[in-house]
């Protein structure tokens, strides 16, 4: 095993930094790089560390002195002579990669023509298994990400890019950057908004690790009144109407017409329960069919109402109309912003007009799709600046290619150049009707047994049934709808897959997710693009549009007593699955296994 000659020097430097920090040191990695240029040599890390005479020993990643580390890259070294990424575990330096050495490209990945030139350390960072939480990537931010991070806080910035291009990573680093460098933002506070509690769990601990204080919330929790989310709109049309801009006018009229307004909760449930009142207030704004979908029998009390996300946003608007104070922030970062409804955009704009919206219009899985970012940014009162990321960090190339067949004309954004090969072409397996969940979960458990973090995705309508199956069959899965991402295998409804990431995705019955509608195809696109390594598709029904070419003849009927039961992952399970493969697929799997073994041996070298 070869050792970088600088490893000991960097260890000494790290020891010195820890000694200077004394009791203030935490267990988080302190240093992650070094840059040498005409300005001298400096270490880049999580926080500033000064020596006894005030000289900089480590500069924080968000300080101006660290800029050269991020702006230089192998293809454009600028005046940097050394860009070194230092990987630390605990307090030990375990690896050193020189992306630029002697002012030229150093330790970079140049192995394949189609692969963009990046530091090997980026590729190594990507090879790490997922943990169920968003990785920081501070050490390996690319120049195009860094450029976006530092743009001024004022106005509206849209960060767009295909799945896995680092929009969330860039947006959260931008939040931390602004908190460190913009006095007005720091004084007024930062707001980070994500669509669901599941996604909030996924990103929540990144900002504190980046040294930023922020209020991180999901859309429904923006409203701070007594109502809590207890239900969801089963009819997309209901969510669409509740989220539409005309509801602002309907609610204004509701408040004006109420003698004794009472609480937002009482006003809204009264409106839902009284079609005559709704007609009187909204005859010219909503068609009869649109008004009908809002009708709801009142629950025994406001507390028991099955409040949905969109109801809570309407309650927030009502609270504002009733004169309740709304908190204000210096800057808001909104992730998965393509799913914002007009009413949700208003709720955020009430709190802050300077915003960063991260998202991808092709991944819209909300009730309404925006054709253009300006449909949303208009609510913030200024024209949007758009920045596009085009390097794919997550999705393996073969999965990118298959998934884009779900989008009309292959999507609105150029195909992201993916840094990953993953485990090759997606596996498609036809199973007997009724066996889909058993086979997919069994494969998921087998993949989890190799250390993969696995997401098993089903149509929302099949979620409860599949969860019950897992409970009955003793298959341990995290309940993704409840935000439990800590288990090796997570069960997830397709409508909550946005923003998440797993090593392997097992997709059950794609035709139920991509149900022929435009929304269904986007849901399927999002579900397929959550994996970093492998995608496996299990189906009994015919495959949906965009996948028909993968269709294989149904297997001959099997003896009725054959029963699939998921068992704990064992090597025999893998062999059983292996035996089910067609000959040419079996060869492919063999090649992949050989490649994995070879790569791991090379790594060990
Ligand atoms: N510069 C980088 N170096 C290493 N890893 C990175 C870098 N940028 C992003 N990543 C990794 O790429 C993956 C995808 O990042 P992220 O979730 O931010 O993408 P996204 O564009 O928001 O994806 P989506 O919209 O599909 O949810 C994450 O694992 C992230 O840690």
């Amino acid at each position: 095993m070869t050792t970088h000659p600088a490893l000991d020097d960097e260890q000494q430097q790290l020891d010195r930094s820890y000694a200077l920090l004394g009791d203030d040191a935490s267990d988080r990695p302190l240093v992650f790089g070094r840059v040498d240029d005409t300005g001298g040599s400096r270490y880049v890390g999580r926080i500033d560390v000064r020596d006894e005479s005030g000289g900089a020993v480590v500069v924080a990643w968000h300080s101006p002195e660290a800029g050269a580390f991020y702006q230089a890259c192998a293809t454009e070294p600028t005046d940097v002579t050394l860009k070194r990424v230092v990987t630390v575990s605990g307090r030990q330096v375990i690896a050193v990669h020189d992306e630029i050495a002697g002012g030229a490209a150093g330790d970079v990945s140049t192995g394949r023509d189609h692969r963009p030139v990046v530091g090997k350390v980026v590729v190594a960072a990507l090879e790490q298994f997922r943990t169920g939480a968003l990785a920081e990537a501070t050490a390996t931010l690319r120049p195009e990400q860094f450029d976006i991070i530092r743009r001024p806080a004022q106005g509206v910035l849209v960060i767009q890019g295909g799945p896995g291009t680092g929009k969330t990573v860039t947006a959260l680093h931008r939040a931390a950057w602004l908190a460190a460098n913009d006095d007005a933002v720091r004084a007024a506070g930062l707001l980070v908004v994500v669509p669901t509690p599941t996604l909030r769990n996924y990103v929540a601990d990144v900002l504190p690790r980046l040294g930023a204080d922020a209020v991180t919330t999901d859309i429904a929790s923006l409203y701070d009144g007594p109502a809590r989310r207890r239900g969801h709109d089963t009819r997309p049309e209901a969510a669409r109407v509740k989220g539409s801009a005309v509801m602002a006018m309907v609610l204004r009229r509701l408040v004006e017409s109420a003698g004794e307004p009472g609480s937002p909760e009482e006003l809204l449930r009264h409106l839902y329960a009284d079609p005559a009142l709704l007609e009187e207030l909204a005859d010219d704004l909503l068609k009869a069919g649109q008004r009908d979908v809002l009708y709801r029998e009142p629950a025994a009390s406001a507390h028991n109402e099955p409040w949905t996300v969109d109801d809570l946003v309407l309650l927030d608007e009502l609270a504002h109309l009733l004169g309740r104070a709304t908190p204000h922030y210096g800057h808001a970062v909104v992730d998965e912003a393509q799913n914002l409804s007009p009413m949700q955009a208003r709720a955020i704009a009430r709190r802050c007009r300077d915003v960063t919206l991260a998202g991808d219009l092709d991944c819209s899985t909300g009730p309404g799709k925006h054709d253009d970012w300006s449909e949303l940014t208009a609510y913030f009162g200024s024209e949007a600046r758009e920045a596009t990321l085009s390097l794919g960090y997550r999705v393996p190339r073969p999965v990118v290619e298959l998934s884009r067949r779900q989008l009309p004309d292959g999507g609105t954004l150029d195909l992201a150049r993916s840094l990953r090969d993953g485990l090759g072409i997606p596996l498609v397996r036809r199973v007997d009707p009724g066996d889909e969940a058993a086979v997919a979960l069994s494969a998921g458990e087998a993949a989890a047994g190799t250390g993969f973090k696995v997401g098993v995705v089903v149509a929302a309508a099949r979620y409860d049934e599949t969860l019950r199956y897992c409970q009955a069959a003793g298959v341990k899965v995290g309940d993704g709808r409840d935000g439990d991402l800590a288990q090796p295998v997570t069960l997830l409804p397709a409508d909550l897959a946005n923003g998440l990431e797993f090593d392997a995705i097992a997709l059950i019955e794609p035709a139920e997710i991509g149900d022929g509608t435009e929304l269904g195809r986007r849901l399927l696109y999002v579900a397929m693009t959550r994996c970093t390594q492998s995608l496996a598709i299990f189906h009994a029904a015919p495959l949906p549009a965009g996948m028909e070419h993968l269709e294989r003849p149904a297997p001959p009927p099997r003896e009725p007593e054959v029963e699939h039961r998921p068992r704990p992952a064992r090597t025999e399970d893998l062999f059983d699955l292996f035996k089910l493969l067609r000959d040419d697929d079996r060869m492919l799997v063999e090649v992949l296994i050989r490649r994995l073994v070879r790569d791991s041996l090379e790594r060990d070298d």
Side-chain angles (χ1 to χ4, degrees), residues 80 87 171 195 212 218 265 272 366 388 416 427 470 489 495 518 532 587:
V80 166
T87 310
D218 57 275
E265 283 80 359
Y272 286 163
T388 305
L427 172 92
C470 292
V489 181
D495 58 339
E518 213 195 310
T532 66
M587 274 172 55

Side-chain angles (χ1 to χ4, degrees), residues 464-482:
D464 288 331
E465 172 196 327
T466 314
L467 192 62
R468 275 196 303 275
Y469 168 81
C470 292
Q471 283 152 358
V475 184
K476 197 160 182 327
V477 292
D479 183 347
R481 202 171 46 189
D482 269 6

